[in-house]
Amino acid sequence: MLTVDFSRFPLAPGDRVLDLGCGAGRHAFECYRRGAQVVALDQNGEEIREVAKWFAAMEEAGEAPAGASATAMEGDALNLPFPDDSFDVVIISEVMEHIPDDKGVLAEMVRVLRPGGRIAVTVPRYGPEKVCWALSDAYHEVEGGHIRIYRGDELLGKMREAGLEPYGTHHAHGLHSPYWWLKCAFGVDNDKALPVQAYHKLLVWDIMKKPLATRLAERALNPVIGKSFVVYATKPHLPRAATAEPAAAEAGESAAPAAEKARKAAPATKSGAKAPAKSPAKSGAKPAAKASAKRSAGAAK
């Protein structure tokens, strides 16, 4: 079950993709199937080992096209082990609500994303999440649990502050909000409550069969009670003028004294006039070279 909509966030074969806080790997697997060069990173070693096994099984089954690659690794979202501009695409799904330093995570994602690259961020939506918090302290007051609820404009503002340019948003998993409300009402660890069991079966059936009735229902519910808020953004290229002007100004300042000295030292011509000094060459900066979450809001476990 995917939170990122790849019809709005298309991938090209060969794209270098970082799935940050990959969890069980659902988005990483989809990117691999689409021919990307995927790195799935998470701090949970047990989950990473499972993701690595699934990558190997997918390769053996021929699920990924030629040229695709997949790596699963442990890592820290606040100290990513990659050079600047390493990825064409970064996905972080249902992760930022867990991390105290969310601005630090955004800064690291922007650092490793190449100029012109794209990023998808998903977090629990404010309204449905507030209901969960109101119904159950155990839902969020656990180690590694949710520590904040984002308003949409708050997340967009933080992304813009980090240097990203959002270009699209939507809500996802409208059918899943009632499930989590039931979980919170009957106990987040109580899977035996009949309403919870019944709704879980409905969601599993929907995920496996994708019947038209539930697809239409979720499409109608997403704008109203969609469990996840999804933002798509780009990392802008540095404008050519912005990179060239400071260098040109610096070059002009350093060249002026030398030009004045050359003018005074130039020998006189036969007419008695001094030879004109050559104007300093214009200097322009070269444009920078292109280098190249945890859990879903879903119910099925």
Side-chain angles (χ1 to χ4, degrees), residues 1-297:
M1 186 198 65
L2 301 173
T3 307
V4 172
D5 182 350
F6 286 95
S7 68
R8 310 183 197 210
F9 190 69
L11 291 182
D15 275 352
R16 297 161 298 171
V17 177
L18 172 63
D19 185 2
L20 181 56
C22 64
R26 59 204 172 96
H27 288 105
F29 300 149
E30 181 64 20
C31 293
Y32 188 32
R33 290 188 189 98
R34 291 171 179 262
Q37 299 174 11
V38 183
V39 175
L41 183 143
D42 201 287
Q43 68 175 2
N44 187 318
E46 183 177 344
E47 286 190 316
I48 282 298
R49 285 187 288 275
E50 284 299 310
V51 170
K53 290 178 184 178
W54 278 106
F55 278 151
M58 291 173 67
E59 181 180 14
E60 185 176 348
E63 289 190 39
S69 64
T71 302
M73 61 185 295
E74 290 185 57
D76 181 359
L78 290 166
N79 186 23
L80 296 174
F82 311 112
D84 296 356
D85 307 339
S86 294
F87 295 95
D88 303 299
V89 172
V90 176
I91 296 171
I92 183 166
S93 183
E94 311 301 305
V95 174
M96 288 180 57
E97 68 275 11
H98 296 270
I99 301 177
D101 186 8
D102 58 345
K103 290 185 177 181
V105 172
L106 279 169
E108 273 293 89
M109 290 190 291
V110 171
R111 181 184 68 79
V112 301
L113 183 65
R114 68 165 177 82
R118 290 161 291 121
I119 186 169
V121 178
T122 91
V123 296
R125 184 182 186 175
Y126 183 84
E129 187 76 349
K130 284 288 278 187
V131 174
C132 289
W133 282 46
L135 288 172
S136 171
D137 290 337
Y139 172 80
H140 62 96
E141 291 182 357
V142 294
E143 184 179 355
H146 298 187
I147 63 170
R148 70 172 63 81
I149 307 175
Y150 286 100
R151 291 187 181 274
D153 55 356
E154 176 193 1
L155 178 59
L156 289 166
K158 288 186 176 183
M159 292 175 68
R160 291 188 180 101
E161 287 176 10
L164 295 167
E165 292 184 353
Y167 67 85
T169 67
H170 65 90
H171 299 98
H173 310 315
L175 286 175
H176 291 249
S177 290
Y179 171 78
W180 284 103
W181 297 339
L182 288 170
K183 288 272 288 181
C184 290
F186 287 94
V188 290
D189 296 320
N190 180 12
D191 294 328
K192 295 182 179 180
L194 290 179
V196 174
Q197 287 184 340
Y199 206 105
H200 185 266
K201 289 180 180 179
L202 169 68
L203 292 178
V204 171
W205 174 71
D206 172 58
I207 292 169
M208 299 301 294
K209 301 296 185 180
K210 297 181 174 62
L212 179 60
T214 55
R215 294 298 83 221
L216 292 175
E218 180 149 273
R219 188 179 300 176
L221 289 172
N222 280 342
V224 183
I225 57 169
K227 184 73 171 66
S228 294
F229 177 56
V230 187
V231 183
Y232 306 112
T234 59
K235 177 180 175 178
H237 292 276
L238 288 176
R240 185 183 298 268
T243 58
E245 286 176 6
E250 184 178 348
E253 289 174 3
S254 62
E260 180 63 19
K261 288 181 181 179
R263 186 186 65 79
K264 291 180 178 179
T269 64
K270 288 185 179 179
S271 64
K274 296 266 185 102
K278 294 181 179 179
S279 62
K282 293 183 179 179
S283 172
K286 296 181 180 179
K290 289 184 181 177
S292 181
K294 284 269 191 228
R295 296 185 296 261
S296 77

